[in-house]
Amino acid sequence: MFRHDFASLRALYDRPLFDLIGEARAVYLQHWPQNEVQLCTLLSIKTGGCSEDCSYCAQSAHYDTGLQKETLLPLPQILATAERARANGSTRFCMGAAWRGVTEKDAKFQTVLETVREVSKLGMEVCVTLGSLTPEAARQLREAGVTAYNHNLDTSPDFYPQIVTTHTFQDRLDTIDSVQKAGMAVCCGGIIGLGETEDDRLKMLAVLCGFDPAPESVPINCLMPMEGTPLAEQPPVDIFQLVRLIAVTRIALPKARVRLSAGRSLLTREGQALCFYAGANSIFYGDKLLTAANPGTDADHALLKELNLGITEPTPLVAS
Ligand code: SAM
Ligand code: DTB
Ligand code: SF4
């Protein structure tokens, strides 16, 4: 298969908008003929007080964002939320923790493994996002039943140091390597609206295109400006830039789930419809992301119904 580099991604991105989304739609229909959207529920299992200085994040301890720091949620509470998510139609459950990362030696990591073992019995895809991983921690997560690991590149290698200084872009790649070696699917994407250029977004996508195997899912987050963070005053992302990025991602990574992620509550229904047309086929579903607001479930059901989009049935990726 042709592997896109920055130049070929930029050439796609610069095509007339309707030509670009027309091609993305054709690629989408070829690989995803069901015309469905996957619903994923997010839960922050450990909120706030994070040692990292990611300048977009409400959970960083470096900024005074007013967020209440919490300890790891108890297993029964997580399990009950996962059961509700499944009952509400989610086929993927993603647990996020505000940590720099975990090692197999952490006591809290053992609790996470136990939680994953229970959640994985519910038959949903199980995703976790716990920051950096050692190869052994990755292996243990896979063994416990994690099907996909979310670890975003967030932006281009060049722009990354302007957004985060407490870890490097290479650290992110090393964790992704551990995830792949452990046999988990990789969920990896980024955020737009941080002050980066459109080139930065495509350079990030070029790195994703080099992954082997290709990422199973690609979340595209629009910055939700968080009070107290250095990016609190960033202007909103232009909808056509978002649509172009989704379309190019769909063409470059045809088999990936492209997840229209954070920031949907800042988009119009028409804007979201264009994103689905351009190839987005997954959303975070439920009133809350990790700490930020998301559209209500009723509004999401109404929108999908109006667009005649189906909802993906559970077909969990079996960790073999
Ligand atoms: N701590 C882990 C990590 O950094 O990988 C997992 C949780 S972290 C909150 C997951 C992702 O959420 C980030 O990589 C970023 O893409 C996204 N995110 C965080 N804050 C955001 C915000 N204010 N707006 C949009 N996306 C955000
Ligand atoms: C991802 O790419 N987006 C999700 C998930 N992976 C973990 C997180 C979005 C967080 C939005 C800001 C918040 O809720 O604090
Ligand atoms: Fe911590 Fe993740 Fe937020 Fe960065 S994005 S501050 S690592 S929770």
Side-chain angles (χ1 to χ4, degrees), residues 22-35 250 277:
E23 182 177 338
R25 179 74 184 162
V27 170
Y28 166 78
L29 288 173
Q30 193 188 340
H31 292 271
W32 301 89
Q34 305 84 350
N35 227 20
R250 169 53 62 216
Y277 188 85

Side-chain angles (χ1 to χ4, degrees), residues 55-79:
S55 49
Y56 48 79
C57 187
Q59 304 198 69
S60 167
H62 293 253
Y63 317 119
D64 186 6
T65 67
L67 190 75
Q68 189 72 35
K69 180 182 165 185
E70 290 169 19
T71 53
L72 184 60
L73 293 181
L75 193 161
Q77 191 176 334
I78 301 173
L79 195 57

Side-chain angles (χ1 to χ4, degrees), residues 5-50:
D5 59 10
F6 169 71
S8 64
L9 295 171
R10 184 77 223 199
L12 279 174
Y13 189 87
D14 287 334
R15 292 182 62 188
L17 182 67
F18 289 170
D19 293 354
L20 172 61
I21 62 176
E23 182 177 338
R25 179 74 184 162
V27 170
Y28 166 78
L29 288 173
Q30 193 188 340
H31 292 271
W32 301 89
Q34 305 84 350
N35 227 20
E36 288 172 347
V37 172
Q38 180 196 42
L39 306 181
C40 310
T41 294
L42 264 179
L43 176 67
S44 180
I45 61 170
K46 193 270 165 191
T47 304
C50 184

